[in-house]
Amino acid sequence: MSDTHAVQHTPLDAKSPYELRVNLGSDVPETTVRSALATGDMGFLHSFTTGATVDGPGVRVVAWTSGCMWRCQYCHNPDTWTMTNGMLIPVARALEELDKYRHGLKVMSGGFTLSGGEPLMQHRFAAKLLGGAKAMGVHTALDTNGYFGDKLSDGELEAIDLVLLDIKSWDPSRHRRLTGAEIEPTLTFARRLAGRHRPVWLRYVLVPGLTDNFTDIEHVAAFAAGLGNVERVDVLPFHQMGKYKWKQLGIEYTLGNAEPPDQQLVDKAVEVFRAAGLMAV
Ligand code: SF4
């Protein structure tokens, strides 16, 4: 089968998600794609990486899914927008890969994070993978923009120890310009997680001139503080490590000249979250 061909020639593990990966599943038949999406028995993955320390507590193994419905101007991994840029992997194979690290992850108080792309584009696969990891006794985290949060059942949420929820902006029109999507489904998912007392780390990417409107940041902070389940806020400084991908993919990149925020700006944003009573770094 064509996906087997891709798996044989591209290792599942990558040095980092900044490795450009395209067309690994482009010859997978449409019926196979549909079946994978419907059953979750298989899913499209960009790669597995190990040793991450920023995608949840402790040292993490991260599975990066391909496929995203948003088009964030600052996206670091636009190759993960297209699902079939990833390779089609059976859920059992992904869990087998994770099993290699199970013992080490426990020793290092780490766990497994499912990121992307947007993992909930393949919500059946995400639920099976996270459920399988949890059943292995591994701490599980889901990094998501929350837009398809309603696709997970309450039972499936219980298998996720931590949600890394990306809130990109507050003002609806700024959010639409930045991501191409409405903000409300993300906020609805955040409220649902709060109602179910599921732990959340909120992530806010800080881009000078784009997401550094402090009225917006204050609103995000007040919203997060009001939820009661946000354990930590990560202010993530924008960087240009994914810039080359836009060029290679031939997609217009509007942030080519954008600079990362200086430490003063990062500190100021962190302080807004702290002032709202949140733990922020
Ligand atoms: S939600 Fe994430 S993967 Fe999707 S476009 Fe935005 S930054 Fe990229």
Side-chain angles (χ1 to χ4, degrees):
M1 211 164 75
S2 48
D3 45 300
T4 308
H5 172 87
V7 171
Q8 278 170 355
H9 291 85
T10 308
L12 184 53
D13 56 313
K15 284 198 181 64
S16 93
Y18 300 110
E19 216 173 83
L20 181 76
R21 292 190 163 187
V22 291
N23 293 330
L24 297 177
S26 58
D27 53 358
V28 174
E30 181 63 32
T31 47
T32 309
V33 175
R34 270 205 294 270
S35 153
L37 289 174
T39 64
D41 290 339
M42 294 183 285
F44 288 91
L45 288 180
H46 173 279
S47 59
F48 259 73
T49 58
T50 53
T53 53
V54 293
D55 299 300
V59 176
R60 317 288 299 178
V61 167
V62 185
W64 305 90
T65 60
S66 51
C68 186
M69 69 299 247
W70 288 11
R71 295 292 177 265
C72 299
Q73 286 180 48
Y74 58 57
C75 186
H76 298 145
N77 290 309
D79 52 335
T80 64
W81 290 353
T82 305
M83 201 178 295
T84 52
N85 273 347
M87 57 184 101
L88 189 59
I89 302 288
V91 72
R93 165 78 185 90
L95 288 169
E96 193 182 291
E97 185 70 13
L98 180 60
D99 194 45
K100 289 188 206 162
Y101 305 100
R102 182 201 328 213
H103 180 66
L105 291 175
K106 277 192 188 154
V107 171
M108 293 181 287
S109 305
F112 170 65
T113 300
L114 188 62
S115 186
E118 169 48 52
L120 297 185
M121 282 284 283
Q122 305 179 70
H123 50 87
R124 292 305 82 215
F125 179 65
K128 285 193 174 172
L129 195 44
L130 289 161
K134 177 82 176 167
M136 285 164 58
V138 173
H139 178 277
T140 57
L142 168 69
D143 179 14
T144 178
N145 64 31
Y147 194 77
F148 281 157
D150 63 347
K151 306 285 187 193
L152 295 177
S153 69
D154 290 344
E156 286 163 353
L157 288 184
E158 295 298 315
I160 304 169
D161 294 310
L162 176 68
V163 175
L164 307 172
L165 185 65
D166 301 291
I167 295 191
K168 314 276 187 184
S169 182
W170 182 261
D171 175 81
S173 59
R174 255 195 291 276
H175 190 275
R176 217 173 293 124
R177 267 199 308 279
L178 173 64
T179 67
E182 301 299 325
I183 190 174
E184 199 49 44
T186 300
L187 303 183
T188 300
F189 185 50
R191 292 187 196 101
R192 180 172 166 222
L193 291 169
R196 302 197 60 78
H197 309 291
R198 303 308 303 156
V200 165
W201 287 11
L202 191 146
R203 310 181 113 193
Y204 188 87
V205 178
L206 189 63
V207 192
L210 193 65
T211 62
D212 61 349
N213 179 300
F214 275 80
T215 306
D216 266 9
I217 298 174
E218 280 163 18
H219 279 299
V220 173
F223 173 76
L227 292 171
N229 63 330
V230 177
E231 295 181 345
R232 162 179 162 146
V233 177
D234 284 307
V235 174
L236 304 173
F238 165 76
H239 58 72
Q240 291 282 17
M241 283 170 75
K243 181 178 178 178
Y244 84 98
K245 289 190 173 185
W246 290 75
K247 190 158 187 263
Q248 299 242 348
L249 293 167
I251 314 170
E252 190 197 355
Y253 183 50
T254 52
L255 300 184
N257 296 321
E259 295 286 335
D262 60 27
Q263 194 56 44
Q264 218 182 346
L265 190 64
V266 176
D267 291 346
K268 196 176 160 195
V270 166
E271 198 40 55
V272 171
F273 288 103
R274 288 184 182 160
L278 295 156
M279 204 285 262
V281 291

